[in-house]
Amino acid sequence: MSPMARTALQPHATPPDLIRNFCIIAHIDHGKSTLADRMLQITGIVDPRAMRAQYLDRMDIERERGITIKSQAVRMPWEVDDVTYCLNMIDTPGHVDFTYEVSRSLAACEGAVLLVDAAQGIEAQTLANLYLAMEKNLHIIPVLNKIDLPAAQPEKYAEELAKLIGCQPEECLRVSGKTGGGVEPLLNKIVRDLPAPVGDPNAPARAMIFDSVYDTYRGVVTYVRVVDGNLNPREKILMMSTKATHELLEIGVISPEPVVSKGLGVGEVGYLITGVKDVRQSRVGDTVTNASKPATVDLGGYRDPKPMVFSGLYPIDGSDYPDLRDALDRLKLNDAALVYEPETSAALGFGFRVGFLGMLHLEIVRERLEREFDLELISTLPNVVYEVNLDDGKVITVTNPSEFPDGKIGDIREPVVRATILCPSEFIGSVMELCQTRRGTLRGMDYLSEERVEMRYTLPLAEIVFDFFDQLKSKTRGYASLDYEPDGEQTADLVKVDILLQGEAVDAFSSIVHKDKAYSYGVMMASKLRELIPRQQFEVPIQAAIGARIIARETIRAMRKDVLAKCYGGDISRKRKLLEKQKEGKKRMKMVGRVEVPQEAFIAALSNDAASGGDRTKK
């Protein structure tokens, strides 16, 4: 580490007016992590030999997919006019599923670098993150990245960006995260333009938790931004939402590896270790204060992330159930947004009903379970949470089709989202058609430029969690981008479709769908199962039903032995007698026989690569 870096990291050596706290916000794949890499190199806190691409992304999945899943904070020194400033940078995820992480990171900063790909322009998540930053009154520095690409159009997109933020096109900095061009002027601009943090050093300590991770050896590592007062090692701290008290065993800053310090003062960003093993006790968005002299008012903005999509996770081998339970417990230490409870399926055995923030979150969790804990899993079709009001006034929350009540139903409420779609204006018709088939309502439309349009829709969440994004991409040749946020609930005409095998409902194949789509879902599942279930000794009807009404049917033909093979010539009555005897045997077999659905059929019918949209979702 350079001498300049060491001086910048001394405990309490940095008065608030020499601190600049900022984060990098952008759409997926616009180069946040690459720009962060160049900043680490230029400020000299990472040894050139230790440098690697996506330095701040710690997980294998992040590195393989080239996406950021967890926010990462890092402290860097930067000298302007012979004064060494301390820059605290937070690299945030770009995916809509992790918007809550982004909002908490924004609350820990005074400014944001808004990054836009000079070849792709403004996309939906760019707007969503920009509005989050504006709500928090952050100073925004517009930056066009990837100017070294042959397809870059910096002039065109600088105008779009300037119009959006309300500045001049020439104020948009041009940088290349890959080559490092323009990064030094950006660091200078951050020092000159961003306000220094403001706080009362003599007030009771108040620090906001913007992230927490689980370390196998040290327990929960909590990342905080100090607003008022100061935090020192070996003092007792209080979490204001849970009222839990802990002793501060270690305190320090990330640069980009942990560096122990003697405390954190106003405006500083660092980490705390209390020896706690449960990440739920260090909730993101909570306020940390001193237990002996506590603050009376928290910093606000705390809320639990709410799961939007539910799916059943079952081990392919039933004896792996205890391992799956332990794996989920351990994964929850690193992911406080994960919600799960045990459930049983007659078809799939024991498993868990797991709540996710979205389809990408579902796929990341499933992949981590399979990879880190060596499990083989089936995930059932994802569904959302419904509220069913019965005629007698009772309200039932349904997260699984098997919980759907049989009694008289007053109405059913489903969650809806406010969706923002950005696409070239030539695709307006096909996007509108897609949204209308998914029961969407147009809220408004704005042209960002002559070629690009922003469309705002209200859509039922159930209609977009499955394959909506794939359809959107294919209808717009890959140019559209999507962002959404919860927008309450609406009453809808929904029904539960059961799939019956030989008259018995198979709970794993049941689904809650809109009345207009029930028939097509029933036909699709019945025809798919006819191909997947092997033929039995007797005829098997596959039926789709709403309540007692059958809406679709397919039949698996019986396997037949040729009982007439030994008859050559002879009287017809002998042949008929043998066929009648076989018919009686088949009827008897049908009465006692059970249809065995092989595991492969469940995997093929249920997963349907349901979770595979995650990697592609909302990029």
Side-chain angles (χ1 to χ4, degrees):
M1 194 184 289
S2 66
M4 183 177 81
R6 276 201 198 89
T7 55
L9 299 175
Q10 290 306 309
H12 291 313
T14 320
D17 57 332
L18 295 182
I19 296 175
R20 299 290 183 270
N21 297 323
F22 71 99
C23 60
I24 305 176
I25 54 174
H27 189 81
I28 274 189
D29 209 24
H30 278 207
K32 295 181 294 299
S33 298
T34 312
L35 179 62
D37 287 348
R38 293 297 78 74
M39 288 183 171
L40 296 179
Q41 273 186 312
I42 288 170
T43 54
I45 60 163
V46 176
D47 192 289
R49 286 173 303 174
M51 192 63 204
R52 61 176 196 265
Q54 284 178 265
Y55 189 89
L56 295 176
D57 290 343
R58 298 283 193 250
M59 278 185 260
D60 290 344
I61 295 176
E62 290 182 309
R63 308 181 68 73
E64 281 170 26
R65 294 176 176 232
I67 57 173
T68 300
I69 295 167
K70 282 198 79 65
S71 303
Q72 298 288 348
V74 64
R75 176 171 171 137
M76 307 176 292
W78 186 246
E79 202 171 287
V80 176
D81 302 333
D82 298 327
V83 179
T84 302
Y85 289 85
C86 169
L87 307 183
N88 289 315
M89 174 187 71
I90 302 173
D91 180 24
T92 60
H95 196 281
V96 64
D97 282 8
F98 308 113
T99 302
Y100 182 62
E101 288 229 351
V102 178
S103 71
R104 299 276 43 87
S105 302
L106 290 169
C109 302
E110 278 77 38
V113 172
L114 181 69
L115 207 59
V116 172
D117 187 328
Q120 295 182 59
I122 294 162
E123 298 199 51
Q125 202 63 31
T126 317
L127 286 179
N129 289 340
L130 171 65
Y131 296 149
L132 281 174
M134 285 175 159
E135 275 173 33
K136 296 195 164 38
N137 294 322
L138 299 194
H139 184 93
I140 291 156
I141 297 176
V143 176
L144 286 167
N145 192 20
K146 305 190 186 182
I147 53 161
D148 57 308
L149 290 180
Q153 297 174 280
E155 279 69 35
K156 175 185 173 185
Y157 293 125
E159 277 187 37
E160 272 189 30
L161 200 49
K163 201 186 296 180
L164 196 65
I165 294 172
C167 64
Q168 296 305 313
E170 49 274 12
E171 288 177 50
C172 300
L173 293 182
R174 277 108 163 129
V175 305
S176 168
K178 191 174 181 181
T179 64
V183 177
E184 289 194 19
L186 171 59
L187 290 168
N188 293 335
K189 192 173 175 70
I190 286 168
V191 167
R192 292 203 169 98
D193 289 10
L194 294 195
V198 178
D200 183 354
N202 303 314
R206 286 197 305 168
M208 193 193 74
I209 299 175
F210 64 86
D211 197 12
S212 59
V213 295
Y214 181 72
D215 184 289
T216 316
Y217 304 104
R218 318 178 78 187
V220 177
V221 180
T222 305
Y223 294 102
V224 296
R225 148 76 200 269
V226 180
V227 176
D228 292 325
N230 54 62
L231 294 171
N232 301 295
R234 294 292 164 194
E235 68 182 7
K236 275 259 190 330
I237 56 165
L238 171 74
M239 305 288 180
M240 292 188 77
S241 80
T242 59
K243 301 293 180 225
T245 58
H246 310 290
E247 187 182 354
L248 264 184
L249 304 179
E250 185 180 313
I251 192 165
V253 296
I254 304 286
S255 182
E257 304 307 323
V259 178
V260 179
S261 76
K262 292 177 185 167
L264 293 175
V266 170
E268 290 195 283
V269 173
Y271 71 90
L272 314 174
I273 293 177
T274 57
V276 171
K277 297 289 184 193
D278 186 355
V279 89
R280 282 164 291 191
Q281 294 192 22
S282 286
R283 291 171 163 180
V284 172
D286 199 356
T287 304
V288 177
T289 187
N290 195 310
S292 58
K293 195 174 80 169
T296 49
V297 182
D298 65 21
L299 293 165
Y302 173 72
R303 64 179 173 81
D304 270 325
K306 260 179 73 179
M308 306 269 279
V309 178
F310 285 83
S311 177
L313 285 183
Y314 294 86
I316 286 180
D317 181 354
S319 61
D320 285 342
Y321 174 74
D323 297 340
L324 175 59
R325 184 182 56 221
D326 295 345
L328 282 166
D329 284 342
R330 284 170 62 189
L331 202 58
K332 186 159 177 70
L333 295 171
N334 257 329
D335 188 352
L338 199 63
V339 178
Y340 58 93
E341 58 183 35
E343 79 168 356
T344 327
S345 157
L348 298 171
F350 292 102
F352 289 91
R353 193 90 196 145
V354 189
F356 303 96
L357 298 172
M359 289 296 283
L360 178 72
H361 191 212
L362 184 157
E363 195 189 356
I364 295 292
V365 167
R366 183 180 161 180
E367 196 168 321
R368 286 185 70 185
L369 287 169
E370 290 180 344
R371 193 184 280 202
E372 295 172 25
F373 303 99
D374 201 22
L375 294 165
E376 284 190 71
L377 302 172
I378 300 176
S379 60
T380 61
L381 291 174
N383 62 283
V384 298
V385 188
Y386 300 100
E387 263 192 15
V388 181
N389 297 314
L390 300 178
D391 276 356
D392 59 5
K394 264 178 72 179
V395 178
I396 296 172
T397 303
V398 175
T399 60
N400 185 351
S402 61
E403 297 169 358
F404 200 80
D406 298 325
K408 289 204 169 176
I409 292 168
D411 62 23
I412 304 169
R413 298 184 66 74
E414 64 174 351
V416 291
V417 294
R418 264 204 313 271
T420 305
I421 298 169
L422 265 75
C423 68
S425 45
E426 64 191 277
F427 298 115
I428 288 176
S430 49
V431 171
M432 281 184 157
E433 184 189 352
L434 173 66
C435 292
Q436 277 161 4
T437 60
R438 299 303 178 99
R439 301 188 284 129
T441 311
L442 183 66
R443 298 169 75 113
M445 194 163 75
D446 288 317
Y447 281 86
L448 296 175
S449 65
E450 285 176 22
E451 299 97 36
R452 285 164 71 75
V453 67
E454 175 194 346
M455 302 163 79
R456 295 179 299 283
Y457 268 91
T458 300
L459 284 156
L461 179 62
E463 295 283 351
I464 66 169
V465 293
F466 193 42
D467 62 345
F468 178 79
F469 188 72
D470 287 354
Q471 292 282 325
L472 180 66
K473 281 289 187 191
S474 61
K475 283 184 183 294
T476 59
R477 299 210 297 271
Y479 284 111
S481 59
L482 167 74
D483 172 64
Y484 61 81
E485 57 184 81
D487 192 33
E489 295 174 329
Q490 70 177 17
T491 304
D493 197 358
L494 302 169
V495 291
K496 177 189 173 190
V497 179
D498 284 314
I499 303 296
L500 313 176
L501 285 183
Q502 218 182 331
E504 282 185 33
V506 182
D507 60 345
F509 295 135
S510 300
S511 184
I512 298 169
V513 293
H514 193 263
K515 205 171 182 179
D516 297 346
K517 296 192 175 173
Y519 174 71
S520 57
Y521 173 79
V523 169
M524 182 268 294
M525 274 311 262
S527 58
K528 189 187 276 187
L529 287 173
R530 191 189 68 175
E531 291 164 20
L532 294 169
I533 295 173
R535 288 170 72 178
Q536 314 284 320
Q537 292 280 359
F538 47 90
E539 196 176 76
V540 178
I542 302 169
Q543 298 164 309
I546 300 173
R549 186 163 62 90
I550 305 296
I551 56 168
R553 173 182 169 132
E554 293 280 353
T555 305
I556 300 173
R557 300 290 302 277
M559 284 194 292
R560 281 185 57 187
K561 181 181 172 186
D562 189 0
V563 290
L564 304 182
K566 60 189 176 189
C567 298
Y568 46 93
D571 188 35
I572 186 70
S573 60
R574 173 154 169 70
K575 292 181 180 176
R576 191 166 289 138
K577 186 180 170 188
L578 285 168
L579 288 169
E580 287 299 324
K581 194 175 171 188
Q582 185 188 39
K583 197 171 168 187
E584 284 300 314
K586 294 281 183 201
K587 194 183 281 184
R588 205 163 43 247
M589 202 183 284
K590 190 170 183 176
M591 286 163 66
V592 295
R594 285 189 70 245
V595 183
E596 288 297 326
V597 183
Q599 203 74 38
E600 297 75 44
F602 274 118
I603 297 169
L606 290 175
S607 7
N608 189 21
D609 280 329
S612 68
D615 191 24
R616 302 184 296 275
T617 305
K618 294 164 283 297
K619 271 196 180 179

